[in-house]
Amino acid sequence: MSSDPVEIFRQEAQDLLEQIEQGLLDLAARPGDRDTVDAVFRALHTLKGSGAMFGFDALAAFTHHCETAFDRVRKGEVPASPDLVTAVLAAQDHMRALAEGREASAAEGEALLEGLRRAVDGASGTAAPAAAPAGPALTTFRIVFRLPADALMNGTRPLPLIDELRDLGACQVTALTDKVPALGALNPTECHLGWEVILTTAHDRSAIDDVFIFVIDEMELEVETLSAPAVPAVAAAASPLATPEPVTAQPASAPAERAEPEAAEKAQRGGETVRVPAERLDALMDRVGELVIAQSRLKSLAGAGVDPLLRSVSEEIERLAAELRDTMMVVRMVPVGQLFGRFRRLIHDLARDTGKSISLTLEGETTELDKTVIERLADPLVHLIRNAADHGLETPEARAAAGKSAAGTIALAARQSGAEVIITITDDGRGIDRARVRAKAEENGLIAADAVLSDHELLQLIFQPGFSTAQTITSLSGRGVGMDVVKRTIEGLRGAIEVTSTLGEGSQIALRIPLTLAIIDGLLVRVGSARYVIPLAAVEECVELSLEQDLRSTGRSLITLRDRLVPFIRLRELFDTRTAPDEHQKVVIVATGQERVGLVVDQILGDHQTVIKSLSRFHADVGSFSGATILGDGAVALILDVPHLVAAGQKRDAQLRAAG
């Protein structure tokens, strides 16, 4: 981790801003949730205090206004109205810019604060009932606190804490020096002082706890109520329905007793996770990949020799390398919930921009994916969700006319299937109009007027560059960009896209994504004199192709497998090896989704731990391969792109059926 304290603050600020955003979105759905209101207030308070501590004064000053607004919500003075939530969400974007050090216009900040003030005034009502003049109920507290010894080293300053107490009311501060050691034993970097504060304030006990919110779990804090407030008779008469809440003196030991389990819980949580920069994980993954390649070479050498000791050592290193690889894979895995959570804000903004009522449902948030895959999926999912909101969902009036609920639903779901994760984006909108898609494709010259297309091929046309069926261009879509980017990105991840849609009922787009982009288990095969790797997760079974079956299927490449016809591709012909086939050829049955295709190879060499290396720019457009790997003898083997080969098999089979 970087030792720069500013960078550490920025990382923590991002986490706090994420908590604020998620809490605000929760409040949009559940405005009366007190726990969520408290969580948002605490995050704002922490962000303000941390910003001031690390010199982000503009951030602290701006956040203070949002904190004040939520303090009023917390006290029940104003409700968490939709306008207030929207105003704080907009302000949160400004806070993010200030925390990241980006340029943030002061005029824009003032405009956001003015919107926040209007939202608060609108929520509280402009006409407040006149009350009889009465002074606020005051309480006197005796506060004794001592900071942890390392507080100064960690950047905690006692004077701002005392200033915050002064802001709450009239206070008298006395320094406690009874624990200051002799000069010879004094460590100037440690905090030895304590403070006693007599505070008379109109605020309650929670305001005192909020002052020490950053250090309350590590410090010594005693709060004693010296005088409780009396309930003014005029105030009681002005609010006949209000029942005054009894004030009970809290023993001085109570805060410490409550803080102890919280401190223990925090310490336990702190020991469970470690923040590590992503580049270090990437570097470690590269080293593991090189180790796997070296282990593969050692295995090849040991297999060619006769030394049993060398073979034993090779097997032990192979086991350890496999365990290290699996452990490294787990370390890089993160739940897709981290990705899905970002889209709650997107749905909130889309509903506002389109004037539609949109609800988002999430499923399978604990499903895990490689962190690199998660990062690269963000933009494609944004395009798909925006497309579903603008193209897919109807207006409330159109939905009512169709007999649907006024609120449309977009569902995000993730589940693991073998070595793939399937992410689906489903909407209950109008569905895809095949006739309009075909007409637009013919108009753009993508297909001929008399072309015969399957439903799958027709729906895949929406991913063509420049393709759009939108009748009008909006700020969200209609220019024909976005969906082609989605397809390129998913294919760059060695994934595939499947589209299903029912007119009038909705659409679903399924993304099939490999779990990792680094190391996979593969099946090493030989075709002619070259060797290739087939991802083991896509392999269903291997069968022998006899010479009779080979000769019988020269017209249509089909093999009968348990009473089912499975098309197959002769890789020897596809790769133009110009070699004679082996006498005992093998068919590797691979699958992606619901489709199965056989790949005819000359020989199956066995399993292989495959470290994936990207192809160069000159070979990036070769669709049959998704990458390359280095074998134990130093030779290079290409990794077959199974979805592309399955699609090729489907196309070939369709051509044969049409010709027959």
Side-chain angles (χ1 to χ4, degrees):
M1 258 182 94
S2 171
S3 58
D4 184 0
V6 172
E7 287 303 317
I8 295 174
F9 163 73
R10 284 177 172 157
Q11 292 175 6
E12 294 179 350
Q14 292 302 322
D15 293 339
L16 290 169
L17 289 166
E18 187 65 28
Q19 293 176 24
I20 293 169
E21 181 174 287
Q22 296 304 317
L24 291 170
L25 294 172
D26 287 339
L27 280 178
R30 303 187 302 276
D33 191 335
R34 178 58 187 268
D35 291 339
T36 305
V37 171
D38 290 342
V40 172
F41 173 80
R42 285 194 300 269
L44 287 168
H45 185 80
T46 304
L47 182 62
K48 181 192 77 170
S50 297
M53 184 182 302
F54 286 94
F56 287 76
D57 296 331
L59 172 64
F62 185 86
T63 308
H64 173 73
H65 296 283
C66 297
E67 178 198 17
T68 302
F70 257 83
D71 188 36
R72 297 188 63 185
V73 175
R74 189 178 62 150
K75 293 177 178 177
E77 297 176 4
V78 298
S81 65
D83 289 341
L84 178 58
V85 170
T86 300
V88 181
L89 275 173
Q92 183 250 2
D93 293 336
H94 189 71
M95 295 179 218
R96 191 182 299 275
L98 291 172
E100 293 175 354
R102 291 186 278 119
E103 290 187 9
S105 168
E108 179 187 356
E110 285 298 325
L112 290 170
L113 292 180
E114 180 59 32
L116 178 63
R117 282 189 285 269
R118 287 197 303 268
V120 172
D121 293 340
S124 60
T126 54
L138 300 178
T139 307
T140 300
F141 296 98
R142 175 179 176 269
I143 306 164
V144 177
F145 69 94
R146 295 180 185 274
L147 298 176
D150 60 352
L152 301 177
M153 292 288 291
N154 292 333
T156 302
R157 294 181 294 167
L159 291 182
L161 299 177
I162 296 174
D163 289 340
E164 285 196 52
L165 290 175
R166 292 185 188 278
D167 292 340
L168 297 179
C171 65
Q172 177 182 351
V173 182
T174 304
L176 305 178
T177 60
D178 54 307
K179 293 189 177 181
V180 177
L183 185 60
L186 180 67
N187 184 344
T189 64
E190 294 183 353
C191 181
H192 302 287
L193 291 175
W195 290 268
E196 180 186 59
V197 180
I198 305 300
L199 172 66
T200 301
T201 177
H203 296 273
D204 58 12
R205 164 64 193 274
S206 63
I208 299 173
D209 290 339
D210 289 340
V211 170
F212 301 101
I213 193 169
F214 304 121
V215 290
I216 195 168
D217 291 334
E218 292 85 14
M219 68 182 296
E220 298 177 17
L221 175 64
E222 296 180 6
V223 181
E224 180 183 359
T225 304
L226 298 182
S227 64
V231 179
V234 177
S239 183
L241 298 180
T243 302
E245 183 178 350
V247 178
T248 57
Q250 196 164 13
S253 60
E257 291 173 359
R258 184 175 64 252
E260 284 179 3
E262 293 176 355
E265 182 182 354
K266 182 175 180 180
Q268 184 178 3
R269 289 196 305 266
E272 291 176 354
T273 59
V274 177
R275 190 190 297 269
V276 178
E279 57 268 18
R280 292 192 180 181
L281 286 180
D282 294 337
L284 183 57
M285 192 70 234
D286 290 340
R287 300 298 181 272
V288 172
E290 296 301 323
L291 177 61
V292 169
I293 292 174
Q295 176 270 324
S296 179
R297 295 183 62 189
L298 177 61
K299 180 180 178 181
S300 177
L301 292 173
V306 295
D307 188 345
L309 183 58
L310 177 60
R311 188 170 302 172
S312 174
V313 172
S314 173
E315 292 173 354
E316 181 68 12
I317 292 179
E318 181 179 6
R319 180 184 66 82
L320 293 173
E323 291 178 356
L324 181 60
R325 178 202 64 175
D326 295 341
T327 302
M328 192 61 222
M329 293 299 182
V330 173
V331 170
R332 288 170 59 94
M333 293 292 180
V334 294
V336 295
Q338 295 186 11
L339 177 64
F340 285 1
R342 305 178 193 177
F343 303 124
R344 299 179 61 205
R345 172 70 183 277
L346 177 64
I347 291 294
H348 178 275
D349 293 344
L350 287 173
R352 180 193 61 204
D353 296 341
T354 61
K356 301 175 182 178
S357 180
I358 308 174
S359 64
L360 174 68
T361 63
L362 304 177
E363 183 181 346
E365 297 169 272
T366 58
T367 305
E368 293 186 330
L369 261 175
D370 188 287
K371 70 168 190 65
T372 305
V373 178
I374 289 281
E375 293 166 359
R376 293 173 62 179
L377 276 178
D379 287 343
L381 287 177
V382 167
H383 282 299
L384 293 175
I385 292 172
R386 289 167 65 97
N387 194 67
D390 197 36
H391 285 306
L393 297 181
E394 311 96 330
T395 62
E397 296 77 16
R399 291 182 65 85
K404 298 180 179 180
S405 62
T409 300
I410 295 177
L412 271 177
R415 62 182 177 87
Q416 186 172 341
S417 176
E420 291 181 324
V421 168
I422 302 174
I423 297 177
T424 57
I425 303 93
T426 308
D427 68 77
D428 61 350
R430 59 174 61 91
I432 298 177
D433 188 340
R434 270 78 166 175
R436 181 182 294 181
V437 170
R438 185 178 183 94
K440 193 69 176 180
E442 292 177 0
E443 178 186 333
N444 292 354
L446 298 175
I447 59 172
D450 57 349
V452 178
L453 299 177
S454 65
D455 189 63
H456 171 78
E457 292 171 330
L458 184 64
L459 292 178
Q460 287 291 319
L461 290 173
I462 65 175
F463 297 104
Q464 292 295 320
F467 187 90
S468 176
T469 58
Q471 297 177 340
T472 58
I473 295 177
T474 69
S475 60
L476 297 179
S477 58
R479 301 184 185 275
V481 296
M483 297 299 278
D484 59 320
V485 177
V486 170
K487 185 172 184 180
R488 285 201 304 270
T489 303
I490 299 303
E491 289 179 346
L493 292 171
R494 305 196 321 274
I497 305 179
E498 300 170 2
V499 184
T500 56
S501 181
T502 303
L503 192 62
E505 296 182 9
S507 305
Q508 181 180 93
I509 296 181
L511 310 179
R512 308 183 69 93
I513 309 296
L515 281 172
T516 180
L517 302 178
I519 302 176
I520 61 172
D521 287 320
L523 184 68
L524 189 62
V525 300
R526 180 178 60 82
V527 179
S529 58
R531 288 171 288 180
Y532 302 91
V533 174
I534 304 174
L536 199 57
V539 176
E540 289 197 343
E541 58 183 310
C542 302
V543 297
E544 188 167 340
L545 180 67
S546 65
L547 185 59
E548 296 177 13
Q549 290 175 313
D550 191 20
L551 294 174
R552 190 169 60 244
S553 59
T554 52
R556 296 182 64 184
S557 300
L558 297 169
I559 185 175
T560 303
L561 189 64
R562 289 186 289 278
D563 299 327
R564 289 186 59 187
L565 292 176
V566 178
F568 64 82
I569 304 172
R570 294 178 174 85
L571 296 183
R572 188 179 62 258
E573 296 178 0
L574 181 65
F575 299 153
D576 193 20
T577 62
R578 301 181 183 180
T579 58
D582 278 22
E583 183 178 354
H584 303 288
Q585 298 180 83
K586 303 294 187 296
V587 182
V588 181
I589 307 299
V590 296
T592 176
Q594 302 298 320
E595 307 299 332
R596 305 170 76 210
V597 168
L599 305 178
V600 179
V601 301
D602 289 322
Q603 184 182 5
I604 296 175
L605 302 175
D607 66 313
H608 183 267
Q609 289 189 40
T610 305
V611 180
I612 302 173
K613 302 291 185 181
S614 300
L615 296 175
S616 68
R617 290 182 301 170
F618 302 105
H619 304 90
D621 295 332
V622 180
S624 300
F625 309 110
S626 58
T629 188
I630 301 174
L631 302 178
D633 59 1
V636 174
L638 294 172
I639 302 170
L640 300 185
D641 187 340
V642 171
H644 181 275
L645 292 175
V646 169
Q650 290 175 325
K651 185 175 182 179
R652 179 185 178 91
D653 192 50
Q655 291 173 345
L656 291 173
R657 284 198 302 268

